[in-house]
Amino acid sequence: MNVERILPTEEAEALLGLAQELADAELAPRAGDFEARGEFPRDVLRTLGRAGLLGLPYGEKFGGAEQPYEVYLQVLEILASRWLTVAEAVSVHTLACYPVAAFGTEEQKARFLSDAIGGELLGAYCLSEPAGGSDAANLTTKAVRDGDDYVVNGTKAWITHAGVADFYNVFSRTGGPGPKGISCLFADATTPGLVPQKREKTMGLTGSPVAQVAFDDARVPADRLVGAEGIGFTIAMSALDSGRLGIAACAVGLAQAALDYAVEYAKGRQQFGTRIIDFQGLGFMLADMATQISAARALYLSVARLRDAGRPYSVEAAKAKLFATDVAMKVTIDAVQVLGGYGYVHDHPVERYMREAKMLQIVEGTNQIQRLVIARSMAGKP
């Protein structure tokens, strides 16, 4: 289905056109096979980087495209409509570039950003831990200053790109308890003592490597501290606000893919001598799916425009992530129902879409956490 979009510039239109071409040519033909094998498409990320699609929201000085967030998110949506693993990888990588881009020194930016934005380096974001995913302020991984290094010990969990990333943002405790004792370190994958563990066997996004990352006396040079000591939690939460918008855009793209497939199937499938799309019960289901997707798209774009205007958007980002991912879950379930028994087999992609949608309700803060954020804001609490 063609999506009518109002874009801010002709350059933005060209970027979305490029994203669509690459999504159709490089992503769609590979998605099913790679997901079936559980293989991560590292070369596709390099292709996207060399095409200028990994640094869309970042400055031109370091190879970025300096595009508004509303443009970047629509690129993500297009990629997700063809292969969610790749779109999520772009979102996570963009998140992993954020600490240095927003809080790093000029030397750190010059040293790391160009290769990351260009696709030569792939990033990961190490915040969650085995005993605390949602309760990030009480993380236990420690980084102790020892001469010119920080010595890091602890374990991070649910790390996307674990084992394939070239660098890791490691949120560690350098001070006392609570959020003010947390700092952010930029660690090379080759750091001795930084050890990715066995990959998790996930229900969906099987092409995306997710695992724990253990730190056993891992020495990270002190000049890899991002920002000052004690502001790591601020960095993490600021990054997650943006990351939640990325997940919302991915959810809309996935839901659109499910709807498009269901519509085409319903046009071609006949029962009782009639196309099933012409039965009112099923036609109304498809109409509701389309309406929910349009609403989710409008919501994430409105929040992106707040961000682009420099306005507060944290609570609105939580709303967008919550609504869009819940829509993706419902739409993919309904797409399976439209196909009936055929929706339940691997020959059609909608069962994969349904499994993938579940992850989007969990990652970047569960939807229960999003509801907590929204409810606390209404109660006047920080």
Side-chain angles (χ1 to χ4, degrees):
M1 181 184 296
N2 290 326
V3 176
E4 292 294 333
R5 302 180 189 272
I6 299 175
L7 297 168
T9 62
E10 290 184 1
E11 182 182 9
E13 291 182 8
L15 280 170
L16 262 66
L18 174 62
Q20 191 67 65
E21 289 177 14
L22 287 172
D24 290 340
E26 301 291 336
L27 274 60
R30 303 184 187 186
D33 288 342
F34 272 68
E35 293 299 317
R37 295 197 305 270
E39 181 178 345
F40 180 66
R42 182 65 180 87
D43 64 312
V44 172
L45 273 296
R46 290 193 183 91
T47 298
L48 294 178
R50 291 164 184 169
L53 297 182
L54 284 189
L56 291 178
Y58 296 123
E60 293 179 347
K61 180 179 179 181
F62 301 106
E66 213 155 325
Q67 288 294 308
Y69 229 67
E70 68 165 301
V71 173
Y72 157 65
L73 292 178
Q74 289 180 87
V75 168
L76 268 188
E77 180 192 328
I78 288 170
L79 299 178
S81 72
R82 295 298 181 265
W83 193 357
L84 182 60
T85 285
V86 171
E88 190 226 7
V90 172
S91 182
V92 169
H93 180 71
T94 302
L95 181 73
C97 291
Y98 178 86
V100 167
F103 293 88
T105 64
E106 290 304 309
E107 189 274 336
Q108 287 173 333
K109 293 175 185 178
R111 187 175 175 187
F112 303 124
L113 273 187
S114 294
D115 283 342
I117 287 171
E120 299 309 307
L121 299 178
L122 184 68
Y125 193 81
C126 299
L127 180 61
S128 295
E129 297 186 351
S134 298
D135 190 11
N138 287 314
L139 61 83
T140 61
T141 296
K142 289 186 178 181
V144 178
R145 184 70 182 261
D146 181 31
D148 292 333
D149 299 326
Y150 284 94
V151 180
V152 184
N153 283 281
T155 302
K156 294 296 181 177
W158 309 113
I159 306 306
T160 301
H161 300 159
V164 299
D166 299 293
F167 66 89
Y168 296 80
N169 290 279
V170 186
F171 292 91
S172 311
R173 190 161 300 285
T174 54
K180 294 183 179 179
I182 296 171
S183 301
C184 178
L185 296 170
F186 187 97
D188 284 337
T190 56
T191 301
L194 189 162
V195 185
Q197 304 298 294
K198 183 180 178 181
R199 279 180 63 170
E200 304 286 357
K201 296 179 181 180
T202 54
M203 180 171 71
L205 283 101
T206 50
S208 178
V210 175
Q212 292 187 356
V213 178
F215 296 85
D216 183 11
D217 286 338
R219 285 188 167 268
V220 179
D223 64 4
R224 300 296 189 90
L225 175 69
V226 181
E229 277 197 6
I231 69 166
F233 191 74
T234 298
I235 295 172
M237 294 302 103
S238 178
L240 285 177
D241 286 340
S242 299
R244 285 166 179 166
L245 288 179
I247 295 301
C250 287
V252 171
L254 181 67
Q256 187 69 60
L259 173 64
D260 291 347
Y261 198 92
V263 167
E264 288 306 307
Y265 180 87
K267 287 179 179 177
R269 175 74 165 171
Q270 288 201 359
Q271 292 288 277
F272 309 104
T274 303
R275 299 185 310 170
I276 63 173
I277 198 171
D278 296 320
F279 291 117
Q280 188 178 80
L282 194 141
F284 280 11
M285 180 188 291
L286 293 169
D288 285 344
M289 293 159 68
T291 302
Q292 291 161 355
I293 292 168
S294 292
R297 180 180 294 115
L299 180 55
Y300 89 64
L301 285 174
S302 72
V303 182
R305 288 165 187 145
L306 285 176
R307 186 189 189 281
D308 290 333
R311 303 281 294 277
Y313 72 98
S314 295
V315 175
E316 299 305 309
K319 293 176 184 176
K321 194 271 181 181
L322 167 64
F323 184 74
T325 58
D326 279 356
V327 164
M329 192 73 254
K330 185 177 188 311
V331 165
T332 54
I333 288 173
D334 286 347
V336 171
Q337 192 69 21
V338 169
L339 270 68
Y342 291 108
Y344 202 67
V345 297
H346 293 309
D347 296 328
H348 297 273
V350 289
E351 60 82 28
R352 171 164 61 87
Y353 297 159
M354 184 180 74
R355 289 184 284 107
E356 291 174 342
K358 189 66 223 174
M359 183 279 294
L360 298 176
Q361 292 181 303
I362 299 169
V363 73
E364 305 283 8
T366 67
N367 281 8
Q368 285 67 37
I369 288 294
Q370 309 311 319
R371 289 180 171 91
L372 179 63
V373 168
I374 298 162
R376 288 178 67 88
S377 73
M378 292 189 294
K381 297 179 181 179

